[in-house]
Amino acid sequence: MIGALNIKGGEPLRGEVAVRGAKNLVPKAMVAALLGASPSVLRSVPEIKDVTVVTDLLSLHGVTVTKDPDNGDLTLNPTNVSVAQHADIDAHAGDSRIPILLCGPLLHAIGEAFIPDLGGCKIGDRPIDYHLQVLRNFGAEVDKLPSGIRMIAPKGLKGAKIELPYPSVGATEQVLLTATRAEGNTELRNAATEPEIMDLIAILQKMGAIITVQTDRVIHIEGVPELSGYNHKALPDRIEAASWGSAALATGGDIFVRGARQGDMMAYLNTFRKLGGGLDITDEGIRFFHPGGKLNPLIVETNVHPGFMTDWQQPLVVALTQADGVSIVHETVYENRFGFTTALNRMGASIQLHRECLGSVPCRFGQRNFLHSAVISGPTPLHGADINIPDLRGGFSHLIAALAAEGDSKVTGVELINRGYERFVDKLQALGARFDVDDAAGR
């Protein structure tokens, strides 16, 4: 386990990295295998912590998960699904929020499900109310226990009409994973339509599901009594790809991200180019580079797809500290996603947080006293500092800042980055980053 990285900053990152399957798809695709009556094969699986967590949870429920030693492909065999001990689920779930998505498939397979108290990154309120209400709509009976929540479906699950108050990715996934084998038809309104959602729908269709995506965020699902396994290559991780793009810009570097896919990243690529970054887009991947000269200040507003993704925001903010002028970032998806800027200000950045909606359209956080808009003045030289990372994307942003800064930085808590960035230490090394690993944490 890596406890800390001691980074010598000021060196442009140059070279090539590769991205594999998306963190926001792969764990959900693994859960979908529970719905099949035969084994599934998932390809392009990254080596990240969330995959390990889901592997453990599936194994506890009797699913055999086999990893191909040559290419890392996973074969998931659900033919012996069984009830797991609540204490074991709690112990293996850790701080992951994935267990909530097992509920629908487990209710179909064995008639009951359990989720422990859930964790996740501290970036805002992510209540499970949406999920529980969705499952109740399908006919699940929900019982709160001291250790978590137990669900049963004594009469099976039935199709339902559901309208989400917000196009939540997690709640949309919950509906899809539950409705495919529910009796009757389901109509979901105000659904999320992110590329990872569409890839999950593609997987479910391969398994035999009947799902129609209509206009205006409406999805229809016709329930079927049985699904088969799937063979699927996960779409590439657009969040990791954009993170390396922002790292190239912030450090004055040049990074080719093999596997990055233009179609899933258009909002980011437009913003990157307007900021002054250089792009070379090919079928094999995307080259992100700093072409020299000044970077341009921007106004950026995060939103659900097809808008600018919230997970792109934090790494981009580091690059915006080097833009020539005042930039504004309005965060509309998670209300507390600017906590990472405290460390950036200690490193020399000039970032002010505001409660007002500093964007083109007032958002749902505008009257709720959240610091959800940032004003970034630049360019400001960054200098090294000791940093403890707060969450996954904020943590990678701190790494970028430390790499861009003059002087030495000690970044602790970097294990959190393993949740979503495969072999990030090896990739940093390949890009010429100067650092050493703190062996005090056991490596």
Side-chain angles (χ1 to χ4, degrees), residues 13 66 79 107 135 157 166 168 170 240 300 308 321-322 357 406:
L13 297 182
T66 308
T79 52
L107 287 169
L135 291 162
L157 299 178
Y166 180 78
S168 158
E240 183 183 356
V300 180
F308 190 90
T321 67
Q322 303 310 302
C357 294
E406 290 297 328

Side-chain angles (χ1 to χ4, degrees), residues 19-35:
V19 294
R20 292 203 285 176
K23 170 193 175 289
N24 284 3
L25 179 276
V26 168
K28 293 70 177 286
M30 295 172 67
V31 171
L34 271 170
L35 293 163

Side-chain angles (χ1 to χ4, degrees), residues 88-266:
D88 291 337
I89 297 172
D90 195 8
H92 284 83
D95 61 359
S96 172
R97 300 179 63 84
I98 293 294
I100 188 71
L101 292 177
L102 273 73
C103 293
L106 286 174
L107 287 169
H108 285 303
I110 55 177
E112 72 170 81
F114 172 80
I115 50 172
D117 291 328
L118 298 174
C121 291
K122 308 304 181 187
I123 57 175
D125 187 22
R126 295 207 255 185
I128 62 170
D129 298 359
Y130 287 8
H131 294 269
L132 297 181
Q133 189 55 51
V134 162
L135 291 162
R136 287 190 184 101
N137 288 345
F138 283 107
E141 296 179 8
V142 179
D143 185 22
K144 182 73 176 77
L145 305 176
S147 55
I149 298 170
R150 180 174 180 261
M151 291 170 228
I152 58 172
K155 298 179 182 179
L157 299 178
K158 315 285 185 184
K161 284 194 172 185
I162 298 167
E163 182 163 2
L164 300 177
Y166 180 78
S168 158
V169 169
T172 300
E173 292 164 341
Q174 184 72 260
V175 172
L176 291 170
L177 291 167
T178 305
T180 47
R181 282 186 55 194
E183 182 184 334
N185 296 330
T186 296
E187 179 184 271
L188 174 62
R189 292 188 170 273
N190 206 23
T193 58
E194 272 68 6
E196 295 82 7
I197 292 284
M198 303 310 293
D199 212 37
L200 179 60
I201 290 173
I203 287 169
L204 293 169
Q205 188 179 57
K206 286 181 177 181
M207 299 176 76
I210 301 173
I211 302 171
T212 305
V213 181
Q214 299 187 324
T215 56
D216 299 326
R217 300 188 176 276
V218 177
I219 299 176
H220 284 277
I221 305 106
E222 298 178 35
V224 296
E226 185 174 278
L227 296 172
S228 62
Y230 64 79
N231 188 308
H232 188 78
K233 181 179 180 180
L235 86 170
D237 197 312
R238 63 194 176 118
I239 305 173
E240 183 183 356
S243 298
W244 290 118
S246 293
L249 209 51
T251 64
D254 188 333
I255 301 175
F256 180 73
V257 182
R258 185 167 296 280
R261 197 163 75 180
Q262 177 187 11
D264 301 332
M265 298 182 66
M266 287 190 167

Side-chain angles (χ1 to χ4, degrees), residues 112-442:
E112 72 170 81
F114 172 80
I115 50 172
D117 291 328
L118 298 174
C121 291
K122 308 304 181 187
I123 57 175
D125 187 22
R126 295 207 255 185
I128 62 170
D129 298 359
Y130 287 8
H131 294 269
L132 297 181
Q133 189 55 51
V134 162
L135 291 162
R136 287 190 184 101
N137 288 345
F138 283 107
E141 296 179 8
V142 179
D143 185 22
K144 182 73 176 77
L145 305 176
S147 55
I149 298 170
R150 180 174 180 261
M151 291 170 228
I152 58 172
K155 298 179 182 179
L157 299 178
K158 315 285 185 184
K161 284 194 172 185
I162 298 167
E163 182 163 2
L164 300 177
Y166 180 78
S168 158
V169 169
T172 300
E173 292 164 341
Q174 184 72 260
V175 172
L176 291 170
L177 291 167
T178 305
T180 47
R181 282 186 55 194
E183 182 184 334
N185 296 330
T186 296
E187 179 184 271
L188 174 62
R189 292 188 170 273
N190 206 23
T193 58
E194 272 68 6
E196 295 82 7
I197 292 284
M198 303 310 293
D199 212 37
L200 179 60
I201 290 173
I203 287 169
L204 293 169
Q205 188 179 57
K206 286 181 177 181
M207 299 176 76
I210 301 173
I211 302 171
T212 305
V213 181
Q214 299 187 324
T215 56
D216 299 326
R217 300 188 176 276
V218 177
I219 299 176
H220 284 277
I221 305 106
E222 298 178 35
V224 296
E226 185 174 278
L227 296 172
S228 62
Y230 64 79
N231 188 308
H232 188 78
K233 181 179 180 180
L235 86 170
D237 197 312
R238 63 194 176 118
I239 305 173
E240 183 183 356
S243 298
W244 290 118
S246 293
L249 209 51
T251 64
D254 188 333
I255 301 175
F256 180 73
V257 182
R258 185 167 296 280
R261 197 163 75 180
Q262 177 187 11
D264 301 332
M265 298 182 66
M266 287 190 167
Y268 177 82
L269 298 177
N270 286 339
T271 300
F272 187 89
R273 185 163 268 153
K274 286 192 286 185
L275 180 52
L279 292 170
D280 184 8
I281 302 169
T282 70
D283 291 343
E284 287 72 41
I286 301 174
R287 176 189 170 210
F288 300 89
F289 61 97
H290 193 309
K294 294 179 178 180
L295 298 179
N296 307 311
L298 292 180
I299 297 175
V300 180
E301 202 159 17
T302 68
N303 210 336
V304 295
H305 187 77
F308 190 90
M309 191 182 193
T310 179
D311 291 300
W312 293 332
Q313 176 256 108
Q314 291 161 297
L316 186 79
V317 164
V318 183
L320 287 174
T321 67
Q322 303 310 302
D324 188 22
V326 177
S327 298
I328 296 173
V329 179
H330 180 209
E331 172 61 55
T332 76
V333 180
Y334 291 127
E335 63 270 37
N336 290 322
R337 200 147 210 180
F338 284 120
F340 75 104
T341 61
T342 301
L344 297 185
N345 283 337
R346 283 197 291 110
M347 299 176 78
S350 176
I351 304 173
Q352 294 180 321
L353 302 183
H354 297 267
R355 292 176 173 82
E356 295 77 20
C357 294
L358 302 182
S360 59
V361 180
C363 77
R364 59 199 174 121
F365 306 135
Q367 303 301 319
R368 295 174 56 193
N369 212 30
F370 293 115
L371 293 168
H372 70 294
S373 293
V375 176
I376 305 153
S377 302
T380 52
L382 301 179
H383 53 77
D386 290 348
I387 307 165
N388 185 56
I389 68 171
D391 62 76
L392 173 59
R393 306 301 170 190
F396 197 85
S397 303
H398 288 155
L399 278 187
I400 295 173
L403 291 161
E406 290 297 328
D408 298 344
S409 297
K410 182 173 185 177
V411 185
T412 54
V414 292
E415 269 300 307
L416 192 55
I417 297 174
N418 282 325
R419 281 193 55 215
Y421 292 88
E422 179 184 38
R423 297 183 178 179
F424 72 94
V425 172
D426 295 337
K427 292 178 181 179
L428 288 174
Q429 218 158 23
L431 294 172
R434 298 182 299 170
F435 65 91
D436 58 76
V437 178
D438 192 338
D439 293 325

